[in-house]
Amino acid sequence: MSAECSSYLNADKVLVSGFSCPRAGGDARAVFCCGFQDVKYCCDDPHSFFPYEHSYMWWLSVGALVGLSIAAVVLFAFIITVCVLCYLFISTKPRSKLDPGLSLQMAGKTSC
């Protein structure tokens, strides 16, 4: 089994001629053409070819980074809010115990 990777223009706009997979001297299991429209290589996964340019992965990475940054800020704000509320709860508690107003006496003794 073998696959043909057609010729393509790489990111520098240089024409790379087509080749067949597996390549001579390469992994014998790499029988599929993988990669992107502007970066192609042989691999062993038949579902690893993406009909986009490789640069779109950069935008996915930037999008993921922005999303994770926003999630981190929200988590940080939540933790700060919980800490402030705990501090306020603890600091506004009364410091002394309440006096019940009755003194306890032992049963059976009378005081004169």
Side-chain angles (χ1 to χ4, degrees):
M1 175 181 230
S2 66
E4 292 291 325
C5 285
S6 60
S7 59
Y8 61 94
L9 290 175
N10 66 10
D12 298 327
K13 305 300 181 201
V14 175
L15 181 65
V16 177
S17 60
F19 54 91
S20 63
C21 297
R23 286 186 142 179
D27 187 3
R29 294 174 297 166
V31 295
F32 299 102
C33 184
C34 301
F36 301 91
Q37 284 181 345
D38 57 348
V39 177
K40 293 181 182 179
Y41 55 91
C42 297
C43 71
D44 60 355
D45 185 8
H47 305 292
S48 291
F49 182 76
F50 305 99
Y52 313 106
E53 290 186 0
H54 184 257
S55 61
Y56 103 99
M57 292 296 284
W58 168 253
W59 290 109
L60 279 179
S61 299
V62 169
L65 186 62
V66 168
L68 288 173
S69 298
I70 290 171
V73 167
V74 169
L75 180 64
F76 184 68
F78 176 76
I79 290 172
I80 294 297
T81 303
V82 167
C83 290
V84 167
L85 290 176
C86 286
Y87 173 75
L88 290 175
F89 177 75
I90 292 170
S91 67
T92 57
K93 283 178 123 178
R95 300 259 185 242
S96 61
K97 294 183 179 180
L98 295 176
D99 184 20
L102 299 174
S103 59
L104 299 176
Q105 297 178 1
M106 292 183 64
K109 288 192 173 183
T110 58
S111 61
C112 298

